[in-house]
Amino acid sequence: MKNVRGVGTGQPLVPALIIMGDSVVDAGNNNHRTIFIKANFPPYGRDFFAHNSTGRFSNGKLVIDFTAESLGFTSYPVAYLSQDANGTNLLTGANFASGASGFDDGTSLLYNAITLNQQLKNYKEYKIKVTNMVGRDRANEIFSGAIYLLSTGSSDFLQSYYINPILNRIFTPDRYSDRLMNFYSTFVQNLYNLGARRIGVTTLPPLGCLPAAITMFGGAGNNTCVERLNRDAVSFNTKLNNTSMYLTNKLPGLKLVVLDIYNPLLSMVMNPVANGFFESRRACCGTGTMETSFLCNARSVGTCSNATNYVFWDGFHPSEAANRVLAASLLVQGISLIS
């Protein structure tokens, strides 16, 4: 459990932070699994505390790390599968996310990631541990006051739907999004039934602007965002907003906020200089076109020396500098979850 330097030691604004989702928010759970999608080796984490490769898919902090700091926590939610996930460390929350998981458990199973359903099961186990520590009343205050953040969906498209001829024969992108909405809706209702009342869910990013997506789907020599993928993301995000509104109306006392990362990230990609960046097409790691996980390693040739100029750290994931910008935007959008 890492203490955050330079952060106040007062009470945090909410009692706990619970994280679920995929590699954008995984803080090291995949380190403890037999899985190809990992980030617990250099150059991952080279700008993190003590240059530590914790399993975060970035050169430094994730959006959720900045979020934890802004909310006044003195440590980050601990990766639930790590040896740190015990005792009082659990009282301020936990991170259940797993790189390569999706709304669709089928996506997660392709890569042996922790499915969203299994993340929920792990959360149930977590609740029992916390309740045993502090008693039912205090525990329920923690669970209902906590902020729950869900960030997933990119893997469903980029690592499943678009590359699976069977899926894209059966479903149009629109119908596939509807299918994911069913999973999302069930997930939120299950989380609500387990006591969650403040839930933030991130939209899809501009899928077509991720360097790996440009390489995979953009055609030879193309260096611009793949419009078709961005259209699918926009359509998905509209459904996410509508479904979330429906759930808010249906479930009494639920605060459910959709957090837009599509537009802030698109803005950084389209106008890097205005956002304080120099490079938004190529990622920092290796050739900057494709490398992610084991392909982004200490021997990757061409890795940039200063990632603060880059929007993307690897083929799929933003740099710490971009995560800082995204976190600031999400904090403003999610203010109703805090109050």
Side-chain angles (χ1 to χ4, degrees), residues 131-305:
T131 306
N132 288 341
M133 253 185 294
V134 297
R136 178 156 294 162
D137 291 351
R138 176 74 191 109
N140 286 340
E141 282 173 19
I142 294 173
F143 305 142
S144 64
I147 288 181
Y148 297 74
L149 288 179
L150 171 64
S151 182
T152 194
S154 297
S155 299
D156 290 308
F157 283 94
L158 294 174
Q159 289 166 286
S160 180
Y161 178 75
Y162 290 135
I163 59 174
N164 182 334
I166 297 168
L167 273 184
N168 53 56
R169 196 169 300 142
I170 302 175
F171 300 106
T172 61
D174 194 61
R175 302 257 47 104
Y176 185 65
S177 289
D178 289 339
R179 178 180 158 83
L180 297 182
M181 280 306 115
N182 288 333
F183 294 130
Y184 166 64
S185 185
T186 304
F187 173 81
V188 169
Q189 291 177 76
N190 286 336
L191 199 51
Y192 176 87
N193 291 337
L194 289 169
R197 291 297 177 267
R198 306 170 181 214
I199 304 174
V201 56
T202 59
T203 63
L204 284 181
L207 294 173
C209 298
L210 306 181
I214 293 175
T215 303
M216 288 162 70
F217 306 107
N222 181 27
N223 196 23
T224 56
C225 299
V226 186
E227 281 312 316
R228 168 177 71 100
L229 271 58
N230 280 357
R231 276 198 304 272
D232 290 348
V234 168
S235 156
F236 174 92
N237 292 342
T238 303
K239 291 176 192 287
L240 187 68
N241 275 301
N242 294 340
T243 305
S244 300
M245 246 181 320
Y246 163 77
L247 288 165
T248 303
N249 292 331
K250 178 182 166 182
L251 302 169
L254 174 64
K255 286 182 178 176
L256 176 57
V257 178
V258 176
L259 302 163
D260 171 30
I261 56 171
Y262 183 96
N263 288 298
L265 193 53
L266 187 66
S267 167
M268 285 187 261
V269 168
M270 294 308 197
N271 311 299
V273 174
N275 285 284
F277 296 93
F278 163 73
E279 176 59 70
S280 67
R281 298 296 177 191
R282 279 184 56 238
C284 168
C285 195
T287 61
T289 54
M290 192 68 206
E291 293 89 340
T292 292
S293 193
F294 285 107
L295 299 175
C296 168
N297 59 60
R299 289 192 294 281
S300 299
V301 175
T303 298
C304 76
S305 56

Side-chain angles (χ1 to χ4, degrees), residues 18-31:
I18 305 289
I19 312 292
M20 295 181 184
D22 63 15
S23 59
V24 174
V25 291
D26 184 349
N29 286 312
N30 277 11
N31 303 354

Side-chain angles (χ1 to χ4, degrees), residues 13-14 67 70-71 145 147 149 198-200 255-260 327-339:
L13 296 172
V14 293
T67 303
S70 299
L71 292 172
I147 288 181
L149 288 179
R198 306 170 181 214
I199 304 174
K255 286 182 178 176
L256 176 57
V257 178
V258 176
L259 302 163
D260 171 30
S329 170
L330 295 196
L331 198 67
V332 174
Q333 297 178 55
I335 206 81
S336 66
L337 290 174
I338 301 164
S339 51

Side-chain angles (χ1 to χ4, degrees), residues 2-5 27 43-56 58-62 65 69 76 320:
K2 179 62 64 182
N3 266 11
V4 182
R5 292 170 178 72
Y44 286 98
R46 70 178 196 190
D47 301 312
F48 198 65
F49 297 109
H51 313 295
N52 201 351
S53 311
T54 56
R56 285 167 168 80
S58 188
N59 58 302
K61 294 177 190 173
L62 305 176
D65 296 324
E69 292 174 16
Y76 303 135
E320 175 182 276

